[in-house]
């Protein structure tokens, strides 16, 4: 069965590999605080169907408790170590099988192996709470090796720590016109791609949420990161096939045999 990857918007993707459905950072809300989903309607109910869910860090647009509550009973949920202590809502999701993980660990899930890797990002639950948990990336190893970067900045040992991968799901933007420290913009994402050297890349974490009232302010910034990443990736990593998906679109990437 071929590997298939679907982008649902923001950092939410489904990776189907070896008969297992892996869902990343599910966010199904029309609105989150001051953000409104501008890039189309929320994902359909089938997007919430998964065998395992990977949460990269504690920010509310990545660890969204109401979206996690929609998962089917028994769904396996991997979260950064310390997350239940920092986010009380997680402890109420008793229908899920929760596992805390940290960089360097691996979890066996059927025919898949999920390696937990470091991300260069502030993993705190903002805007309050003294507890910290690491920001994570994940490498899903089955028929393909798929790197979900979560939210991260570019760091020198990224390629070494992630290892050889076939597919890279890389953040290229955010939910506003400015990115702070610990993020990849199109240029940094393209440089990361050159180091990782996968066969296939999909830009994520852009073109979905936008601050309410800012529709008329620099509207070109909304979709620009994906387009700019494609252009810069052609310069930095010309051998990588980059697929800029629409929300709900899927690809079946080429996998080394």
């Amino acid at each position: 069965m071929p590997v298939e990857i679907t982008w649902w918007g923001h950092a939410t993707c489904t990776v189907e590999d070896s008969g297992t459905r892996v869902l990343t950072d599910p966010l199904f809300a029309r609105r989150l605080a001051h953000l409104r989903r501008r890039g189309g309607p929320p994902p359909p109910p089938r997007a919430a169907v998964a065998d395992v869910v990977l949460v990269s860090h504690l920010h509310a647009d990545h660890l969204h408790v109401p979206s996690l509550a929609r998962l089917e009973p028994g769904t396996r949920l991997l979260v950064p170590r310390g997350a239940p202590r920092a986010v009380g809502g997680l402890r109420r999701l008793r229908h899920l099988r929760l596992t805390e993980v940290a960089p360097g660990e691996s979890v066996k899930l059927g025919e898949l192996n999920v390696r937990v890797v470091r991300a260069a990002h502030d993993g705190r639950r903002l805007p309050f709470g003294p507890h910290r948990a690491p920001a994570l990336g994940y490498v899903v190893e089955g028929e393909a090796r798929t790197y979900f970067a979560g939210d991260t900045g570019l760091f020198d040992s990224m390629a070494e720590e992630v290892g050889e991968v076939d597919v890279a799901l890389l953040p290229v933007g955010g939910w506003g016109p400015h990115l702070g420290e610990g993020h990849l913009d199109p240029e940094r994402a393209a440089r990361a791609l050159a180091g990782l050297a996968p066969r296939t890349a999909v830009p994520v974490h852009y073109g979905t949420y936008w601050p309410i009232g800012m529709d008329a302010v620099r509207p070109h910034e909304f979709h620009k990161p994906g387009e700019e990443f494609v252009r810069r990736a052609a310069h930095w990593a010309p051998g990588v096939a980059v697929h800029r998906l629409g929300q709900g679109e899927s690809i079946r990437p080429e996998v080394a045999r």
Side-chain angles (χ1 to χ4, degrees), residues 42-122:
R46 62 188 172 90
V49 178
D51 299 297
V52 60
V53 174
L54 312 179
V55 171
S56 63
H57 63 289
L58 305 192
H59 292 175
D61 58 327
H62 293 260
L63 195 168
H64 186 246
V65 174
S67 293
L68 295 176
R70 292 176 51 181
L71 301 173
E72 291 293 321
T75 302
R76 188 78 175 270
L77 177 63
L78 305 189
V79 300
R81 180 153 296 145
R85 183 167 57 107
V87 184
L90 268 180
R91 297 193 294 271
R92 294 191 289 272
L93 300 178
R94 296 185 179 89
H95 67 297
L96 305 179
R97 295 187 295 145
L98 189 148
T99 301
E100 299 180 53
V101 294
E105 298 180 349
S106 294
V107 178
K108 189 72 174 175
L109 301 163
E111 296 184 28
L112 296 183
N113 183 62
V114 177
R115 285 195 297 114
V116 186
V117 297
R118 179 168 66 97
H121 191 67
D122 185 345

Side-chain angles (χ1 to χ4, degrees), residues 11 25 56-57 59 62 117-122 135-138 147-156 158 161-162 169-173 179-185 188-189 192 196 204-205:
D25 286 351
S56 63
H57 63 289
H59 292 175
H62 293 260
V117 297
R118 179 168 66 97
H121 191 67
D122 185 345
L136 307 175
Y138 296 91
Y147 171 45
F148 169 61
D151 220 351
T152 186
L154 180 61
F155 54 98
D156 290 342
M158 176 183 279
E161 293 184 32
V162 170
L169 310 177
L170 292 179
V172 302
L179 286 174
E181 185 179 353
H183 294 84
L184 294 179
D185 62 10
R188 292 191 292 269
L196 294 165
V204 302
H205 205 271

Side-chain angles (χ1 to χ4, degrees), residues 164-244:
E164 188 174 352
V165 293
D166 301 294
V167 184
L169 310 177
L170 292 179
V172 302
W175 46 254
H178 302 289
L179 286 174
E181 185 179 353
H183 294 84
L184 294 179
D185 62 10
E187 172 70 13
R188 292 191 292 269
R191 288 164 53 198
L193 190 65
L196 294 165
R199 290 171 175 262
T200 302
V202 177
V204 302
H205 205 271
Y206 78 100
T208 309
Y209 291 91
W210 204 242
I212 293 169
M214 286 192 65
D215 285 4
V217 180
R218 300 172 69 177
H220 62 286
E221 297 283 0
F222 186 68
H223 292 293
K224 181 180 177 182
E227 300 166 358
E228 186 69 8
F229 173 71
V230 172
R231 186 177 72 82
R232 292 178 183 263
H235 169 74
W236 282 99
V240 179
V242 178
H243 296 267
R244 187 166 69 88

